Structure formats: C-alpha cells, structure tokens
Amino acid sequence: MAQVSYPGVYIVEKASGVRTITGVATSIAAFVGYTRKGEPDKAVPITSYADFERGFGGLDRDSPVSYAVRQFFLNGGTQALIVRVVAGKKLTSWLLKGDGAADVLKVTAASPGEWANTLRITVERDSPQLRNPHADFNLIVSQLQPDSSTVTLETHRNLSMDPKSPQFVESVVKNASALVQVERVAGLVFAQTGCAVSDKIDLAHPPSPSNTVIGGTLDDTTPFLLIPVPIPVPWTDINTLVHSINDAISDAGLASVLLALETGEDGGAGNGHLSLKSLTVGESSSVVITRGAFGGLTAAIKLGLENGGRELPAAIEHRPIAAINVAPSTLGAGDKGGPNDLIGSPDKKSGIYSLLDVDLFNLLCIPETFDMPAGKEAAVIPAATKLCEDRRAFYIVDAPLRLKLTEIGAWTNAASQSRNAATYFPPVRVLDPLDGLRPRSMAPSGTLAGVYARTDATRGVWKAPAGTDATLNGVLDLALPVNDLENGQINPLGVNVLRSFPAYGRVCWGARTMKGADAQADEYKYIPIRRLALFIEESLYRGTQWVVFEPNDEPLWAQIRLNLGAFMNGLFRQGAFQGKTQQEAFFVKCDKETTTQADRNLGIVNIQVGFAPLKPAEFVVITIQQIAGDLQ
C-alpha cells in the first residue's frame, strides 16, 4: 500500500496474477543415424535442407537419414535436430613442410569420416591479399572431383597462428614434436628426448653436468642432448655450462647440444616460456615449446604450437612452404554404425542419448532400422521408445523392408506396445538423384514427420496426420499397393497404411499408435489424442514453474486455476476439444479438495486437468434408405 502524506489521489499498480502459458512446439523432429560428415554424437539444430547439406554433406547412398531429412523438409517440416552416428571415427589430416623440410603445420578435417579424403590443401605465401607476409599465409581448401579436376571450395583464407575454417578445417596448428620427460634437479632442469618413460632420470642419483651423460635421439638415429634452463642465464654462463660437459658429450658420441632457454613472448627475458637454441649453426628456433611453470618434480612437456606453445613474430622458417593441392597425410574413416552405435550410452550421451542435451524435441526418426539385418532392429526400437516416453516425444518407427503384408501386424505387436510410437506400411519409393533418378525404396518416417509438421501448422496437433490432406510429397510410388480388404486386415492391429488414390495421389491412411490395436481398447489409441496430451503436458510443465516455492494456499490455487484455465480455453476456442461449452470440453481443479492439509504439510500442491479429446472419424457410415412413396 502506498504511503499517504497529503490529501490527494494516489496511483498504485498491482500485479494481476496472470502468467501466460505458451504452448510448446509440436513438430521438432530428431533424426539419428549415419551422415557423410558432421560432428558425431551431438544434436545439431537445422531449419532447412540447405543447412543439412552444408553441415552434414547432403545425400549419401549409405545414409538413410539424408533421404529422410530431405523428405521431412519437402513435406512441410521446419525444425530438425541431426545426430550423426559413426563407427571407427578417424580424422583426415595434412602435415605440411616448412622451409627446413620439417613438419610445421597440421591441418585437420572438421569431423571424422571419408568425406575429407578428397579435399586438397593449397598454401599461398606470396599473395597480395596477405596482411602480414612475415607471419601469415593463405590456406585454400579444394575438393578433388571424380574426374580428377579440382574445384575450389574456399579461397584466400588469410591464416595466422591458430586459424579456423568453419566449413572444412577445424584447426591449423603446429605439429607435435618430440615428447620430453623433464626432471628438476639442483636448480637445473635436465630433459632427455626420444626416451621411454622408464628411462627417466633417477632422482635418488641426481645427475650433474660434470659426471653424468643424459643422451637420447630425436629421430631414433641422431644422438641428441637437451638441457633446459628454467631461469634467464647470461650467455657467458651458458657457454661455461656447455663446455663443462664437452667431455661427456664426446664420450656419448652426441652430435649437438640443444639448450632450452626461458624467454618472453617477444623473445626477450623469460616468464615461464622455453625456446630452443642450438650451438650448432643453423639449428636456432624461435618456437616456444611450453608455457607456464613445470609442476612438481616431474612433468611432461611437448614441443610445438599444438601443445600450447606460440610462434614468435617473424619466425619465417616455421611457416609452411608454398604448396598446391597437397593430398592428406592421414586418411579419415567413419563407417555406418550398427545397433549399438545407434543406441549409444546415456553416460557418454552418445547415439540417441545425445538428445538428452536437447531442451525439446517432439518427433524421433531412426531410418536405419529400415534396412538392418533381420532382428537387429529389436535392440534399437525399445531403447528409442523409452527415451521418447521419458522426454514426452513421439517415435515414428520404421519397420524393416523385409516384412510382408502378412507379417507386419505380428511384427508391430512384438516390436512395441507404446502409446508414444506409431508405425507405417508399406515403404515409400522416391527418385534417387545419386542413381540416375531411379526409384529407391526408403523408410517412410522422414516423409511422415513432415506430414505431422504440416498438419500441426495448418490444423493443429489435435488433427490426425492422415486423410486426403495428408499427401506424401516427393513420393513417386509405394513399395506395395494395398487395397481396402488388405487395409482392413492390418489396421485393427495398430498398423497405419499408406495408400494411393486416383484423385489424391499417395496419402497417409491411418492414425493409430502402436497401442492402437482394437483388442487393447487403449484410451490413447489414436495419434492425435496422444500427441495432444503430450503437448498439454509439456506446455503445463514449463508454464507452471513459477508455482514452485509459492505460498501453498487459496490465493495460489486461484492463480493456478486462472492461468491454466486460460490456456485450456484457448485450445477449446481453436477446436482442440469436443463439447459446446467449456464445462463440456475441459476442467481445471486446484483447491482444498485436491490439496489436503496433509499435502500442504508435505509441500505438495495437486492440480487436476481434464479434457475431452476429439477422436478422428476413422469409420464413416452412411445409411441410405429408399422411400417407397406416399403410402397414404
């Protein structure tokens, strides 16, 4: 209440208690399976098939997902999530030579798979587009075509020390050099290069420059001695130190001594960075090999920019030489995975469980169950169904191609008894651009997911995605024609049939869940009723988060009834429920009858929401009677 101090009118604003509940999306489709490229085991959102082509490589004959995604967007889909699943992941990489003929630049493909094996790398060092000719260069990514010609995909990308190419190259870094095992002894750090871990210096018998030889090989052929010094040392002291171990070097037959000095980023006095310096003429290096202090008595460091170092300015000798169309040094791999790869692991969030990191998805498609070896799909479908039940999503199951009309009913009842799943028969046939536009039988889930999205956008989630309006765009034909009698044999078993009619073309002609067999008489027999319930559950779950920790009494209950009632009334006005009035269509109950004193003592508020769903007119009976005429 406002504080009043003088006669007059005071304005006080008071909250209305109205908290608008927004309906969630209903047709975000998740596709799980093998794609040509892309980051594995991560749900990536896309909004068009062009996004899929850029990020996942487009159509691929070994990727049923690629065809399903194209059909999804062709039939009206607008939002999708792609989870790439591959087995035997391996990245394509290139090692480029420097002026000293050593590997100085490592280029790695953005994602594992064979897709990058046809890429070629070109390095330009003398180009007018270079910003800084002393430190930068142009990296050009090209693709080798089947006719052995090269088509440039990305040109004149100006690169420095750690650049990135968003479409093709994940990172460009210095190649790793020798592993160095470091021991801190008596104020000096002795390191042996090219040695095994078991060859580490024994701290119980610390070495000294005068009586101990610490040797190794850099390339398994050339003897080598490395002595890093952790503090700035005047060059006169360094020379004294080196000369004091000349005898030991001669006895070991070492070719040279490399001294690691602590330096700054500009090559000056040190701040925890080590750079290599050799007494042998021409072996100087300005590449920082490590950053920061060594930890404890022992630590392992690696040489090179890839391992946290930094290339100093004007280090021209460590820039890659000019090259044209360099082939990959390491070929990538990433084959189509099996059932275990598709399922993945909840702990690692791989396979279908990559979707655990997603805020919301409504439809799940796994087209690879369509052409799996016999019986292998039995492991995937239950796991995918359980995930959908936990996340309030709906699974469009792809039955195997091998099934005949007489087998699909028994397979459906054995595969799943879930209200959150539906299956369709027969498969669809589409024109394959990768096979001279010849027809190809494919899983129908992508096409149906698009039909679901189109129906939701035009009519609402409470409308069955079936009927003459549910046309299958992009479908040339059906793998098997089904007539009325055959349709009548499998529809009562919970199998949705795809039909072809003269005037309408290919359409979806069924709207039952896999719990929709007549013998089960389930209340969620029909797809639109189940999906409407999931939509209401998810919307109310997200829209009532504000209730948590509010005082649990009549004012809160009244606000709940007001807000939930307004949301349900909005659906009623759109035609989502049956009934002429709100009382006939839905109810929202939250009062002292639903929430007893015992519940309030436990911190519980109970809300009851009920609705009268619109069941689809699956069977239309028209009675015709002949009038005999006027009998009077």
Side-chain angles (χ1 to χ4, degrees):
M1 182 175 178
Q3 295 292 330
V4 295
S5 60
Y6 62 88
V9 178
Y10 294 84
I11 304 296
V12 179
E13 293 184 358
K14 185 177 181 180
S16 65
V18 176
R19 298 175 183 265
T20 303
I21 297 177
T22 304
V24 298
T26 59
S27 52
I28 301 175
F31 294 86
V32 180
Y34 171 76
T35 62
R36 187 165 177 260
K37 66 177 184 177
E39 185 174 353
D41 298 321
K42 180 180 179 181
V44 179
I46 63 173
T47 56
S48 67
Y49 189 68
D51 288 347
F52 180 83
E53 289 181 312
R54 285 188 292 268
F56 295 92
L59 289 180
D60 188 285
R61 294 202 54 135
D62 294 328
S63 172
V65 165
S66 63
Y67 291 87
V69 173
R70 188 180 70 154
Q71 285 295 108
F72 171 72
F73 287 107
L74 190 60
N75 279 273
T78 56
Q79 298 181 74
L81 296 165
I82 311 299
V83 177
R84 185 189 186 213
V85 177
V86 293
K89 308 178 184 67
K90 188 176 181 181
L91 288 166
T92 301
S93 62
W94 295 256
L95 288 178
L96 303 179
K97 302 292 184 180
D99 287 348
D103 295 332
V104 297
L105 189 70
K106 183 177 182 180
V107 181
T108 307
S111 61
E114 298 180 357
W115 69 274
N117 294 344
T118 59
L119 296 181
R120 295 297 183 267
I121 300 298
T122 298
V123 177
E124 286 185 352
R125 290 184 53 177
D126 300 318
S127 171
Q129 300 186 28
L130 291 177
R131 296 189 306 267
N132 180 2
H134 294 292
D136 297 343
F137 52 91
N138 284 333
L139 184 70
I140 302 174
V141 183
S142 309
Q143 187 170 26
L144 193 65
Q145 298 300 311
D147 59 358
S148 298
S149 63
T150 299
V151 178
T152 299
L153 299 180
E154 184 173 341
T155 60
H156 294 101
R157 182 167 185 84
N158 201 250
L159 298 175
S160 181
M161 266 61 79
D162 189 16
K164 286 191 176 182
S165 170
Q167 293 185 20
F168 307 103
V169 181
E170 174 62 26
S171 60
V172 180
V173 294
K174 283 289 181 184
N175 181 37
S177 185
L179 175 65
V180 179
Q181 193 69 35
V182 178
E183 302 284 351
R184 181 180 294 275
V185 180
L188 295 178
V189 178
F190 293 85
Q192 186 175 357
T193 313
C195 62
V197 177
S198 60
D199 297 330
K200 289 191 304 181
I201 300 169
D202 184 5
L203 286 179
H205 302 86
S208 65
S210 60
N211 57 19
T212 304
V213 176
I214 306 169
T217 60
L218 186 60
D219 54 5
D220 294 329
T221 58
T222 305
F224 181 102
L225 179 67
L226 177 63
I227 306 177
V229 181
I231 57 175
V233 180
W235 275 106
T236 54
D237 293 344
I238 291 175
N239 291 331
T240 302
L241 175 65
V242 172
H243 288 304
S244 68
I245 57 173
N246 276 340
D247 293 339
I249 294 173
S250 300
D251 294 340
L254 297 176
S256 63
V257 176
L258 288 184
L259 198 60
L261 303 176
E262 186 184 25
T263 64
E265 294 185 359
D266 58 354
N271 56 2
H273 299 259
L274 295 178
S275 65
L276 292 181
K277 196 73 176 177
S278 175
L279 294 184
T280 304
V281 177
E283 292 188 4
S284 297
S285 169
S286 58
V287 176
V288 176
I289 63 171
T290 189
R291 174 170 297 177
F294 298 127
L297 290 177
T298 63
I301 61 174
K302 290 185 179 181
L303 309 182
L305 226 161
E306 183 181 19
N307 299 294
R310 190 183 67 83
E311 185 176 358
L312 298 180
I316 300 178
E317 66 271 20
H318 297 288
R319 294 167 59 207
I321 60 176
I324 300 177
N325 296 336
V326 179
S329 306
T330 303
L331 296 180
D335 301 325
K336 186 176 178 180
N340 292 335
D341 299 297
L342 287 172
I343 297 172
S345 167
D347 296 333
K348 298 179 180 179
K349 293 185 179 179
S350 60
I352 61 174
Y353 296 107
S354 301
L355 295 170
L356 294 176
D357 286 333
V358 175
D359 178 57
L360 177 67
F361 72 96
N362 312 109
L363 304 172
L364 176 62
C365 302
I366 309 178
E368 290 182 17
T369 60
F370 176 71
D371 55 3
M372 280 185 176
K376 296 294 185 181
E377 76 283 350
V380 178
I381 294 175
T385 301
K386 180 64 168 57
L387 176 66
C388 287
E389 291 174 348
D390 293 341
R391 293 299 302 270
R392 287 186 283 272
F394 198 83
Y395 179 24
I396 304 177
V397 180
D398 284 312
L401 175 63
R402 67 179 185 272
L403 296 178
K404 301 178 181 178
L405 180 71
T406 56
E407 302 170 338
I408 185 63
W411 179 89
T412 300
N413 291 329
S416 177
Q417 294 288 315
S418 175
R419 301 166 172 177
N420 288 39
T423 191
Y424 291 84
F425 181 86
V428 298
R429 287 162 59 84
V430 300
L431 296 178
D432 189 356
L434 303 182
D435 192 23
L437 296 180
R438 294 180 177 89
R440 167 177 174 154
S441 295
M442 60 169 288
S445 61
T447 304
L448 270 300
V451 173
Y452 281 35
R454 186 176 75 228
T455 305
D456 292 353
T458 56
R459 299 289 300 276
V461 69
W462 48 87
K463 165 67 173 69
T468 57
D469 290 338
T471 54
L472 309 180
N473 299 331
V475 174
L476 175 67
D477 199 0
L478 301 176
L480 178 71
V482 180
N483 59 33
D484 290 338
L485 292 178
E486 293 168 335
N487 193 161
Q489 293 174 7
I490 61 177
N491 187 74
L493 301 177
V495 180
N496 300 312
V497 180
L498 305 179
R499 300 285 301 271
S500 181
F501 295 112
Y504 302 103
R506 273 64 59 192
V507 298
C508 176
W509 207 246
R512 295 198 181 194
T513 67
M514 296 183 81
K515 192 78 169 175
D518 287 345
Q520 299 192 50
D522 191 77
E523 62 180 341
Y524 288 109
K525 176 180 182 178
Y526 294 110
I527 293 173
I529 298 177
R530 184 56 184 159
R531 293 187 66 226
L532 175 61
L534 295 175
F535 165 71
I536 294 175
E537 290 172 11
E538 188 68 27
S539 299
L540 296 185
Y541 169 76
R542 294 168 181 260
T544 55
Q545 296 294 320
W546 63 271
V547 175
V548 179
F549 300 119
E550 290 291 315
N552 193 0
D553 205 353
E554 182 56 42
L556 174 65
W557 304 338
Q559 282 187 297
I560 292 174
R561 293 193 298 268
L562 173 64
N563 294 307
L564 271 63
F567 174 75
M568 298 296 288
N569 185 53
L571 295 178
F572 168 68
R573 293 171 65 87
Q574 296 178 63
F577 310 133
Q578 62 173 304
K580 295 182 180 180
T581 64
Q582 298 181 23
Q583 290 73 22
E584 295 176 350
F586 69 89
F587 69 83
V588 177
K589 190 174 180 62
C590 181
D591 51 28
K592 62 182 180 181
E593 294 181 5
T594 63
T595 304
T596 64
Q597 184 61 46
D599 291 330
R600 296 166 67 182
N601 293 339
L602 295 173
I604 298 173
V605 56
N606 294 313
I607 308 169
Q608 293 182 4
V609 179
F611 66 97
L614 284 170
K615 297 184 178 180
E618 187 177 20
F619 308 102
V620 180
V621 179
I622 302 176
T623 302
I624 300 177
Q625 180 180 5
Q626 183 180 8
I627 299 177
D630 190 357
L631 301 179
Q632 295 179 355

